[in-house]
Amino acid sequence: MQLSIIIVNYNVKYFLEQCLSSVFKAINNLNAEVWVVDNASTDGSIEFLQARFSWINVIANEKNVGFAKANNQALYKCTGEYILFLNPDTIVAEDCFVKSLAFINEHPKAGALGIRMVDGQGCFLPESKRSFPSPVTSFFKLVGLTSLFPASRFFARYTLGYLDQHKNHEVDVLAGAFLMAKRQLLLSLHGFDEIFFMYGEDVDLSYRIQKQGYKNYYFSGSTIVHFKGESTKKGSLNYVRMFYQAMSIFVKKHYGSGKASIFSFFIQLAIWLRAGLSALSGVFSKVGLQVVDAGLVFASFHFINALWVDWFRSGEPYNAELVNIAFPGFTLLFILTALLAGMYDKVYKLSRAFSGASIATIILLASYSLLPEKYRFSRGVVLFGGITATLLIVLFRWLLIQWKVVDDTDESTKHQQTLVVGTQAEFANVTRLLTRIGLQQRIMGRVAANGNKEDAIAAVGQLPTLLESLRLREIIFCEGFLSFKAIIDLIQHLPTHINSRFHAQYSQSIVGSDSKDTSGEFVAVDGSFELGLPYQRRRKRMVDLAVALAILITFPVHFILNGLSIVRNALLVISGKKTWIGYSQSTNGLPRLRKGVLATNGFPVNDSSPLKKESLAKIDEWYARNYHWLQDVKMVARHYKKLG
């Protein structure tokens, strides 16, 4: 046996479907086996896999034993000369394994091999090649300096951003998403260290491989897609804590207690900084950036005024009373104009910030010229104050986006018209799939993959030109006539605002991810749920909090009408232990929810229902598939008496 591929799955069956479809093509000319270890998924992964991929070996765990232990379970059952640890949210090119095996065989001192990875939008993933963690490099990564200076030898040391991503390199750390090594070497090292539950196990294994005198290689001769964001929320504070605690375990294990203490200090400091950024994010999402922008505008006018007086008036100041009235008035007019110009339409785009602030400056100048002479003092202060404010606002917005304090994704355009790249038959398959789940209206047309342009908007070679004239956010690539390798190459040359989706031949799903930090999205005949979309889940949480806070603020009324239980439930909802509307029973395959106060049928969750279990399951499925936040509001209002 040449190669054994090990994949650990946890509640990502549709991503795994696409992954296995690509793996099947990549092992076509190899003597290979595939092992899938399921960590107690609740989305029906086992049944789904066994019905569609009878050629794989499956280990079904009754509980989630963690990434390291699950991989080791399969490692001791494999027979291949080489082992590949592969994530389920990946897509590989047809020649990926052949090229990787050839490279590792050509380098006798190669202990392990990693590969060039891109995310669902075709953007290179820096973690494809990394150095070992240190307190300083980890601190830079956590607070965002690595992202701000991605090519710096100093700030981007952890991700080796200064090394050419298109060349092969000896590196320290390989990502566990794609890690190939000799089976005998892995067995001698006892596989992954199971002290790591999630994160850090690949760093530890890479370190131990080097300690054995071998080299770790970053291989750029092939590229895979790694969607990421499937097992955890990458931007969350919980992820930060889990990741850096894993790094702390690694440092304590290999560097000694002295360095571990320093590392722990930097971790705690960085976590507090990230917590502060998360708090700022909450303030911005609720209050908006208007207050901060107003401060920047006000400061800009005062700064330019001071320079103007010093440079052009020989230190003679303007009338203080006039300045004290004018600058707050200018600031208010600037912010109101920017607001009307669309700068605060819940989208933190640099272009929108620049255009909104520029329009505000122009309107401010026009308004200034209409003022009576006695209220005018310097057109130059107004002009350069507005320009300075515009630059500061754009810079500040850019920093917020880089530090992920705000999200620059425009969810209102997330599901605009969609192009399908494929043959006529492939286009028909995708259309049928989207029609069955009510999304056929998104399809704009077909881009011919095979040169047959009948009923097609354009050929695949014309795609870049076509995108210049069309306003769309999404392209579905059909694998079949186009190879996985061709599709992976195509997505790397698309504009960054285009969201790519993948549909493998004979599969029943379409998957994609709009960035490396967000949960992936899928559509499937049996699994496309509105409630599974991140922005719908945020809306549900907002409704929960709004209702709970309203009840607490007016609790005397509710205590009289509904008793103390409704107040207790409100506190449980705020703490995140309950949701106002939850499923009526335990469900597999539906987006996960907290325990409900009310079930989707309107009865309290713990009460018996006159409906059969099959009927309750249908109601739960309908609720998840067609979720809208108004449903929760109406149900809470209609069944108010049952909230206690």
Side-chain angles (χ1 to χ4, degrees):
M1 185 75 66
Q2 291 174 278
L3 179 66
S4 296
I5 301 163
I6 300 174
I7 303 172
V8 175
N9 174 66
Y10 181 65
N11 288 328
V12 288
K13 65 180 181 181
Y14 297 114
F15 285 87
L16 181 56
E17 179 186 29
Q18 302 298 318
C19 174
L20 289 173
S21 297
S22 70
V23 166
F24 181 76
K25 298 288 181 72
I27 63 175
N28 186 43
N29 296 316
L30 293 172
N31 183 12
E33 62 178 353
V34 177
W35 287 81
V36 173
V37 185
D38 185 78
N39 258 340
S41 294
T42 58
D43 64 349
S45 289
I46 295 296
E47 298 81 4
F48 183 82
L49 288 171
Q50 292 175 334
R52 290 164 176 78
F53 303 101
S54 58
W55 47 274
I56 65 173
N57 303 288
V58 177
I59 299 174
N61 289 325
E62 294 183 357
K63 65 177 183 178
N64 186 351
V65 298
F67 182 79
K69 186 172 183 177
N71 273 300
N72 288 347
Q73 286 178 291
L75 173 63
Y76 292 110
K77 293 179 179 290
C78 289
T79 59
E81 180 184 0
Y82 288 95
I83 302 293
L84 172 65
F85 299 112
L86 184 69
N87 269 27
D89 55 340
T90 57
I91 289 178
V92 300
E94 286 79 0
D95 60 356
C96 174
F97 300 156
V98 172
K99 285 185 173 181
S100 298
L101 287 169
F103 181 90
I104 204 169
N105 277 316
E106 290 170 2
H107 295 76
K109 294 300 292 181
L113 176 142
I115 204 163
R116 182 176 182 271
M117 299 187 295
V118 298
D119 64 18
Q121 288 185 297
C123 300
F124 175 70
L125 290 173
E127 56 268 37
S128 302
K129 46 182 174 61
R130 290 175 287 170
S131 66
F132 289 122
S134 70
V136 174
T137 57
S138 298
F139 178 80
F140 288 161
K141 180 181 185 295
L142 186 54
V143 300
L145 289 172
T146 300
S147 298
L148 287 176
F149 306 101
S152 167
R153 283 182 177 270
F154 183 63
F155 291 117
R157 171 66 187 169
Y158 183 65
T159 54
L160 303 174
Y162 50 88
L163 295 181
D164 189 342
Q165 60 172 288
H166 298 290
K167 293 182 180 179
N168 303 327
H169 301 282
E170 290 181 27
V171 298
D172 289 332
V173 178
L174 303 174
F178 185 107
L179 196 156
M180 182 181 288
K182 282 190 175 182
R183 176 171 170 270
Q184 289 304 317
L185 173 60
L186 292 172
L187 290 176
S188 71
L189 295 170
H190 306 292
F192 288 114
D193 188 338
E194 295 176 13
I195 194 175
F196 299 94
F197 184 83
M198 182 181 289
Y199 310 120
E201 65 286 318
D202 50 0
V203 181
D204 175 75
L205 182 60
S206 297
Y207 183 86
R208 289 187 286 127
I209 288 173
Q210 283 196 354
K211 292 286 284 185
Q212 293 292 314
Y214 291 96
K215 297 178 180 179
N216 295 323
Y217 282 97
Y218 162 76
F219 178 54
S220 64
S222 186
T223 300
I224 72 168
V225 175
H226 183 202
F227 292 106
K228 299 193 64 175
E230 303 316 312
S231 300
T232 188
K233 295 180 179 179
K234 293 290 180 180
S236 70
L237 194 59
N238 186 51
Y239 160 72
V240 170
R241 186 178 295 109
M242 289 175 64
F243 181 83
Y244 284 93
Q245 283 175 349
M247 294 299 98
S248 184
I249 293 172
F250 170 81
V251 171
K252 187 177 294 185
K253 176 181 176 181
H254 295 293
Y255 294 169
S257 58
K259 285 190 176 180
S261 299
I262 298 173
F263 197 90
S264 178
F265 168 76
F266 274 93
I267 288 171
Q268 294 304 319
L269 177 61
I271 286 176
W272 278 108
L273 286 173
R274 179 57 66 90
L277 291 175
S278 297
L280 280 176
S281 178
V283 171
F284 290 139
S285 63
K286 291 169 184 163
V287 178
L289 294 177
Q290 292 95 325
V291 174
V292 177
D293 288 347
L296 293 174
V297 174
F298 190 72
S300 296
F301 284 126
H302 273 286
F303 174 71
I304 294 299
N305 178 61
L307 290 181
W308 201 266
V309 168
D310 188 44
W311 291 352
F312 297 104
R313 292 177 59 87
S314 302
E316 182 183 350
Y318 291 106
N319 182 284
E321 186 176 347
L322 182 59
V323 168
N324 290 336
I325 295 173
F327 285 0
F330 290 165
T331 300
L332 180 61
L333 180 59
F334 189 101
I335 296 300
L336 288 175
T337 306
L339 179 65
L340 294 173
M343 196 166 81
Y344 301 106
D345 292 345
K346 299 182 181 180
V347 184
Y348 299 99
K349 292 288 187 184
L350 298 184
S351 58
R352 184 161 297 193
F354 180 79
S355 61
S358 298
I359 292 171
T361 301
I362 294 170
I363 297 298
L364 188 59
L365 278 170
S367 302
Y368 174 82
S369 65
L370 297 175
L371 290 174
E373 187 68 32
K374 63 179 179 178
Y375 295 120
R376 283 188 273 173
F377 56 92
S378 174
R379 195 184 306 273
V381 171
V382 176
L383 173 61
F384 290 104
I387 292 173
T388 302
T390 299
L391 295 176
L392 286 177
I393 286 171
V394 172
L395 174 62
F396 186 64
R397 203 74 92 252
W398 179 77
L399 289 173
L400 292 178
I401 292 169
Q402 293 299 314
W403 290 338
K404 302 189 185 304
V405 175
V406 297
D407 183 6
D408 64 339
T409 301
D410 185 354
E411 288 178 336
S412 66
T413 62
K414 209 170 193 179
H415 300 298
Q416 284 184 345
Q417 291 178 311
T418 300
L419 285 178
V420 179
V421 179
T423 64
Q424 289 175 308
E426 291 164 350
F427 177 76
N429 286 335
V430 169
T431 302
R432 279 194 293 270
L433 193 157
L434 293 179
T435 299
R436 289 180 66 180
I437 55 180
L439 295 176
Q440 70 277 9
Q441 72 278 2
R442 284 164 50 174
I443 300 177
M444 178 184 242
R446 180 176 75 93
V447 174
N450 58 354
N452 182 1
K453 293 177 61 176
E454 183 181 350
D455 300 326
I457 296 175
V460 67
Q462 300 170 305
L463 193 56
T465 305
L466 182 64
L467 293 177
E468 292 178 2
S469 57
L470 292 179
R471 290 180 58 84
L472 59 103
R473 293 269 304 184
E474 187 176 75
I475 299 177
I476 298 174
F477 288 96
C478 300
E479 180 272 332
F481 184 86
L482 286 178
S483 65
F484 285 110
K485 181 179 179 180
I487 296 171
I488 293 171
D489 182 64
L490 278 169
I491 67 169
Q492 295 178 67
H493 296 90
L494 296 178
T496 55
H497 70 277
I498 298 294
N499 299 322
S500 299
R501 306 287 184 245
F502 297 77
H503 174 62
Q505 192 176 29
Y506 309 123
S507 70
Q508 299 182 27
S509 60
I510 301 168
V511 303
S513 179
D514 298 343
S515 86
K516 67 185 180 66
D517 297 314
T518 60
S519 296
E521 295 184 346
F522 63 84
V523 293
V525 172
D526 62 340
S528 180
F529 301 105
E530 280 293 310
L531 194 54
L533 300 177
Y535 73 97
Q536 292 285 32
R537 298 184 72 82
R538 287 198 293 271
R539 288 176 179 175
K540 180 174 177 61
R541 182 60 178 155
M542 288 175 65
V543 170
D544 279 352
L545 291 175
V547 172
L549 289 172
I551 288 172
L552 291 180
I553 291 170
T554 56
F555 80 92
V557 176
H558 301 290
F559 176 73
I560 294 170
L561 296 176
N562 221 334
L564 187 61
S565 294
I566 191 172
V567 178
R568 183 172 62 249
N569 282 333
L571 291 172
L572 289 171
V573 168
I574 289 175
S575 67
K577 295 180 179 178
K578 281 191 176 184
T579 179
W580 288 116
I581 311 297
Y583 297 133
S584 57
Q585 55 188 351
S586 298
T587 54
N588 290 330
L590 299 183
R592 282 168 287 178
L593 284 181
R594 300 172 178 89
K595 183 179 180 181
V597 176
L598 297 178
T600 54
N601 62 347
F603 285 83
V605 168
N606 294 325
D607 285 8
S608 59
S609 171
L611 298 175
K612 295 181 179 179
K613 286 187 176 181
E614 294 79 5
S615 299
L616 292 174
K618 286 290 184 184
I619 295 172
D620 286 342
E621 181 183 349
W622 185 92
Y623 175 83
R625 193 180 299 280
N626 302 285
Y627 177 78
H628 191 278
W629 64 273
L630 278 175
Q631 293 173 232
D632 284 5
V633 175
K634 291 177 181 178
M635 192 168 292
V636 165
R638 188 181 303 124
H639 301 284
Y640 168 76
K641 279 291 186 181
K642 301 174 184 176
L643 295 181

